[in-house]
Amino acid sequence: MSKSLRIFLLFMSMVAVGACQANGSRADLAIERFQFSNKLDACMELKPAQLQVAGDHISLLADVSYHDSIGSCTCMSALINYQVVDEFQVDGVKVENELMRAFKNTALNQGKYLSFIVSTEPDYEFKGRVSLRVSCRPAL
């Protein structure tokens, strides 16, 4: 069996096990597992603050401090992209499981927090570090 096939089968078995586990104490939702890769750090600082499990999704609330408006920070508007990636290793090989891509309108944010949906599957079991990669939304 090839190494890539073994990795795929192991990954699929991990997904199946995670989907079958009860939603009790979720060690995979430790805030320390979540980090930002922020390409807009000249405009705003983001720090993971709290995780929330809703009926149909999991959200990460981030402390946000604006240094400059997003529109003034090489972006064409106040819209930002974010990508959620679960990063883990299988047999010593780094695996990046992209969970979702979305965008936020920072102009609507009036508070100290910015909310990011990190999974549209409330029972998803995160396997490693979860990186939220934030950047400008490209022009349409």
Side-chain angles (χ1 to χ4, degrees):
M1 181 181 328
S2 72
K3 187 172 185 173
S4 58
L5 180 58
R6 276 190 323 210
I7 292 171
F8 175 75
L9 291 175
L10 180 61
F11 173 72
M12 293 308 293
S13 68
M14 290 169 59
V15 169
V17 168
C20 294
Q21 291 179 349
N23 192 10
S25 176
R26 302 248 333 244
D28 67 312
L29 290 180
I31 196 74
E32 296 79 22
R33 295 182 98 163
F34 292 80
Q35 65 187 10
F36 281 96
S37 174
N38 184 4
K39 292 187 177 181
L40 302 175
D41 58 355
C43 300
M44 66 179 179
E45 183 178 347
L46 295 166
K47 292 180 185 173
Q50 181 182 2
L51 287 158
Q52 298 177 329
V53 179
D56 63 350
H57 67 277
I58 302 170
S59 294
L60 172 68
L61 286 179
D63 283 326
V64 61
S65 300
Y66 293 100
H67 307 302
D68 203 352
S69 72
I70 301 299
S72 301
C73 196
T74 70
C75 293
M76 300 298 288
S77 71
L79 293 176
I80 60 172
N81 273 345
Y82 75 95
Q83 174 186 20
V84 181
V85 180
D86 192 1
E87 303 169 343
F88 54 96
Q89 290 200 1
V90 176
D91 291 340
V93 176
K94 183 178 179 182
V95 176
E96 290 188 349
N97 182 24
E98 181 178 310
L99 300 176
M100 64 180 305
R101 290 178 185 243
F103 69 92
K104 301 282 311 165
N105 186 343
T106 61
L108 301 176
N109 186 43
Q110 300 295 321
K112 174 179 164 44
Y113 297 102
L114 198 56
S115 178
F116 294 88
I117 295 175
V118 295
S119 177
T120 56
E121 300 174 39
D123 293 330
Y124 179 80
E125 296 280 334
F126 297 97
K127 303 191 187 24
R129 290 205 55 81
V130 181
S131 180
L132 279 80
R133 300 171 181 173
V134 179
S135 61
C136 288
R137 173 148 175 124
L140 300 174

